[in-house]
């Protein structure tokens, strides 16, 4: 069964710093990998989706990479802002459903 | 931007009672999903629904659970006889097109508390 792990579980950084969040998965037979943002008490906002044939995707200050063969993905956030504070989840898609990691809780300190 | 909407935002129910969680997917979407997140744990897949039938379900989705699309806009999750361990956030999601690489769009969730 697919297992998705995210490290670290929590991260605090000062405003303006660049940071990397990590995601690993055990079964490389995935269709795609998605990064989500979850604010407290809120739903999941999709940030980036990387297809299994792609190596990276970029959106604004966010860059996600995928190394399918080694079962790893990273989410790079440039020039972090206090508004980036949230929990970041990665999820891999197999067949009809998504397997989620436990998330990284990011706090950006002004 | 179109949204997935879920009601109620918080539902409190006595153990053993039936509960129905409601979702209005994005209007032209065809694929629908329910997930749950127990406090402090991972988001877990429950069920996917397409063309008026379940296309896949997890081991969590036992006989106490059912889904329905009663009309052209709503998608519901029913729990027949709730248990304490059903307390969780329940998320609805929808997807527009066939294809492996279309993102799922999530609602804000319903927090279900079983007393």
């Amino acid at each position: 069964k697919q297992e998705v792990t995210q490290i670290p579980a929590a991260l605090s950084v000062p405003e303006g710093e660049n940071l990397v969040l990590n995601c690993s998965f055990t079964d490389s037979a995935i269709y795609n990998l998605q990064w989500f943002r979850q604010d407290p008490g809120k739903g999941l906002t999709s940030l980036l989706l990387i297809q299994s044939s792609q190596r990276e995707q970029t959106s604004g200050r966010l860059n996600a990479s995928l190394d399918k063969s080694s079962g790893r993905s990273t989410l790079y956030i440039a020039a972090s802002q206090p508004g980036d504070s949230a929990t970041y989840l990665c999820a891999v898609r197999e067949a009809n459903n998504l397997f989620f990691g436990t998330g990284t809780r990011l706090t950006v300190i002004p | 931007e179109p949204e997935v909407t879920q009601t109620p935002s918080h539902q409190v129910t006595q153990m053993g009672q039936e509960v129905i969680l409601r979702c209005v997917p994005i209007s032209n979407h065809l694929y629908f999903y329910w997930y749950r997140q127990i406090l402090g744990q991972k988001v877990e897949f429950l069920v996917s629904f397409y063309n008026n039938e379940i296309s896949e379900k997890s081991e969590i989705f036992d006989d106490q659970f059912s889904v329905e699309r009663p009309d052209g806009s709503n998608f519901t999750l029913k729990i027949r006889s709730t248990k304490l361990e059903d307390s969780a956030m329940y998320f609805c999601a929808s997807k527009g097109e066939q294809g492996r690489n279309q993102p799922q769009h999530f609602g804000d969730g319903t927090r279900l508390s079983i007393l």
Side-chain angles (χ1 to χ4, degrees), chain A residues 42-45, chain B residues 1-6 23-29 32 73 92-95 104-108:
Chain A
K42 292 289 189 180
L44 307 175
T45 301
Chain B
E1 187 175 325
E3 291 183 338
V4 176
T5 56
Q6 291 186 241
C23 170
V24 179
I26 294 173
S27 64
N28 61 345
H29 281 190
F32 313 111
S73 59
C92 172
S94 69
K95 183 166 77 79
Q104 295 180 20
H105 298 263
F106 283 75
D108 281 348

Side-chain angles (χ1 to χ4, degrees), chain B residues 60-77:
Chain B
I60 302 168
F61 194 89
D62 62 22
D63 291 346
Q64 293 299 312
F65 291 87
S66 62
V67 289
E68 196 176 37
R69 188 150 161 83
D71 53 42
S73 59
N74 291 284
F75 179 52
T76 62
L77 174 69

